[in-house]
């Protein structure tokens, strides 16, 4: 079995962790040529370093004895932390090696390196969405918006993606603290992405019940029910609302008795959800309309002239002249 350089590095790290209670100069003096020595030992014969030299902690004790340095009164905090870090790194490396072959690579980290450009783009998008949530007070969609403006959000998205790509290509050149800051920021974005996915899942489950949440900026953001009245002030039941494209409009949420089923889901019912709670008085019956009147025989049609009958004088007065003709 060939000993790799990574195994030599891990062995040296564990030895230095076991000597963490010594002054830094003394510890560096004892482990200065340790890597070269381990390389020579690995080249001499087959087998792992642990099989040939023992555990790193045992080897560190031998170095103490050879240098005449007694063991400390106890393992200090730095030594315990360093040992724990080395163990965690060893376990992660074992997992990395175990997951590599199913992906077609020696280690899983080799496969993840190919996905780094995609992660750079995704990191810029998540940063833009996080700023969208901050600037809009918690509301967000698929595209980022800065202060509710889509154009400003798209400009912000392009800038963040380019900055993320530039930072990713130069991450190897960063010093310790800038690199740590980038890692912490990436972890925050990953947590934000998971929380956003959980919120989107809740929205989908809420929408499956037929009550789609509607965001309305103004006095209608607290709608619980919708009551429709006709021109005569009568309540209209079984009403449905549609937009100009024929899509149903769902507002409010039923909270009256009988508006949910046995599982607690709102029923798909028209408006109003609670017809016994009208805001403008009780529901009245529809008033009957008066029948149309027909003209009777005693009524005289308007505009029809009435013929006049000439009246004759009861007695005629004789005279010498001609008899006058009665006129109407």
């Amino acid at each position: 079995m060939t000993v790799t350089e990574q195994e030599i590095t891990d062995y040296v790290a564990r030895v230095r962790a076991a000597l963490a209670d010594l002054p830094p100069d003394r510890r560096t003096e004892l482990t200065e040529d340790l890597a070269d020595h381990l390389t020579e030992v690995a080249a001499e014969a087959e087998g792992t370093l642990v099989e040939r030299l023992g555990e790193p902690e045992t080897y560190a004790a031998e170095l103490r004895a050879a240098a005449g340095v007694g063991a400390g009164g106890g393992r200090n905090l730095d030594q315990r932390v360093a040992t724990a870090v080395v163990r965690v790194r060893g376990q992660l490396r074992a997992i990395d090696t175990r997951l590599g072959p199913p992906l077609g690579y020696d280690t899983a980290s080799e496969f993840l390196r190919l996905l780094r450009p995609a992660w750079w783009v995704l990191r810029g998008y998540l940063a833009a969405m996080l700023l969208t949530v901050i600037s809009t007070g918690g509301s967000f969609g698929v595209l980022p918006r800065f202060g509710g403006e889509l154009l400003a959000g798209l400009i912000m998205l392009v800038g963040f993606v380019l900055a993320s790509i530039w930072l990713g290509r130069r991450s190897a050149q960063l010093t310790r603290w800038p690199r740590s800051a980038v890692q912490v920021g990436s972890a925050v974005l990953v947590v934000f992405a998971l929380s956003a996915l959980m919120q989107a899942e809740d929205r989908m489950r809420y929408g499956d019940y037929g009550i789609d949440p509607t965001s309305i900026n103004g006095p209608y953001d607290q709608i619980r029910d919708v009551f429709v009245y006709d021109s005569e002030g009568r309540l209209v039941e079984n009403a449905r609302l549609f937009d100009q494209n024929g899509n149903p409009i769902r507002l409010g949420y039923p909270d009256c008795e009988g508006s949910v089923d046995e599982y607690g889901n709102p029923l798909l019912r028209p408006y109003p959800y609670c017809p016994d709670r009208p805001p403008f008085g009780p529901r009245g019956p529809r008033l009957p309309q008066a029948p149309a009147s027909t003209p009777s025989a005693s009524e005289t049609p308007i505009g029809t002239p009435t013929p006049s009958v000439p009246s004759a004088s009861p007695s005629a007065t004789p005279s010498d002249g001609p008899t006058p003709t009665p006129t109407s």
Side-chain angles (χ1 to χ4, degrees), residues 29-44:
E29 179 183 353
L30 293 177
T31 59
E32 182 177 6
D33 300 329
L34 181 58
D36 297 336
H37 174 64
L38 296 178
T39 303
E40 295 175 359
V41 173
E44 291 177 358

Side-chain angles (χ1 to χ4, degrees), residues 17-304:
L19 301 174
D21 59 318
L22 299 179
D25 296 340
R26 187 59 172 168
R27 184 170 64 247
T28 302
E29 179 183 353
L30 293 177
T31 59
E32 182 177 6
D33 300 329
L34 181 58
D36 297 336
H37 174 64
L38 296 178
T39 303
E40 295 175 359
V41 173
E44 291 177 358
E46 295 292 331
T48 63
L49 294 177
V50 176
E51 294 173 353
R52 303 196 59 192
L53 300 177
E55 294 292 334
E57 290 75 17
T58 304
Y59 190 85
E62 295 176 358
L63 286 178
R64 289 176 182 272
V69 179
R75 299 177 64 188
N76 55 21
L77 180 61
D78 294 340
Q79 184 178 2
R80 292 195 298 268
V81 172
T83 303
V85 170
V86 171
R87 289 179 179 176
V88 171
R89 287 180 178 177
Q91 294 176 356
L92 292 178
R93 190 169 294 107
I95 295 175
D96 186 20
T97 304
R98 189 176 299 110
L99 295 179
L103 299 175
Y105 295 87
D106 295 336
T107 59
S109 58
E110 295 182 11
F111 174 74
L112 295 178
R113 291 191 188 97
L114 301 177
L115 302 179
R116 284 186 299 179
W119 162 245
W120 297 341
V121 176
L122 179 61
R123 181 173 57 184
Y125 172 77
L126 292 177
M129 294 302 298
L130 179 59
L131 190 57
T132 297
V133 173
I134 296 175
S135 62
T136 58
S139 61
F140 64 94
V142 179
L143 295 177
R145 297 174 182 268
F146 184 75
E149 297 293 335
L150 179 59
L151 180 59
L154 294 178
I155 296 175
M156 176 181 63
L157 173 62
V158 173
F160 279 8
V161 169
L162 294 178
S164 178
I165 294 175
W166 179 87
L167 190 62
R169 297 184 61 182
R170 291 163 177 77
S171 59
Q173 304 174 3
L174 298 177
T175 58
R176 178 181 178 183
W177 291 111
R179 186 183 299 110
S180 300
V182 171
Q183 294 174 353
V184 171
S186 300
V188 170
L189 293 177
V190 170
V191 174
F192 167 72
L194 295 177
S195 62
L197 289 176
M198 294 176 61
Q199 186 174 357
E201 176 67 16
D202 293 339
R203 288 182 177 180
M204 293 180 62
R205 294 178 59 185
Y206 184 70
D208 289 341
Y209 298 151
I211 308 298
D212 298 331
T214 303
S215 177
I216 303 177
N217 297 326
Y220 307 109
D221 54 355
Q222 300 296 330
I223 290 179
R224 304 296 297 178
D225 203 346
V226 175
F227 294 86
V228 181
Y229 289 85
D230 60 10
S231 60
E232 299 182 8
R234 292 187 297 267
L235 179 65
V236 178
E237 298 188 25
N238 298 324
R240 291 176 172 85
L241 305 180
F242 298 87
D243 62 7
Q244 70 282 354
N245 298 322
N247 300 321
I249 300 176
R250 306 297 300 180
L251 298 175
Y253 191 87
D255 58 354
C256 52
E257 184 179 358
S259 60
V260 295
D261 59 13
E262 58 182 350
Y263 300 103
N265 302 330
L267 298 177
L268 297 179
R269 54 183 302 174
Y271 296 111
Y273 295 136
C274 309
D276 56 342
R277 301 180 184 178
F280 300 113
R283 292 168 290 169
R286 183 180 296 273
L287 299 176
Q289 297 181 355
S293 60
T294 57
S296 60
S298 61
E299 296 177 351
T300 303
I302 300 175
T304 304

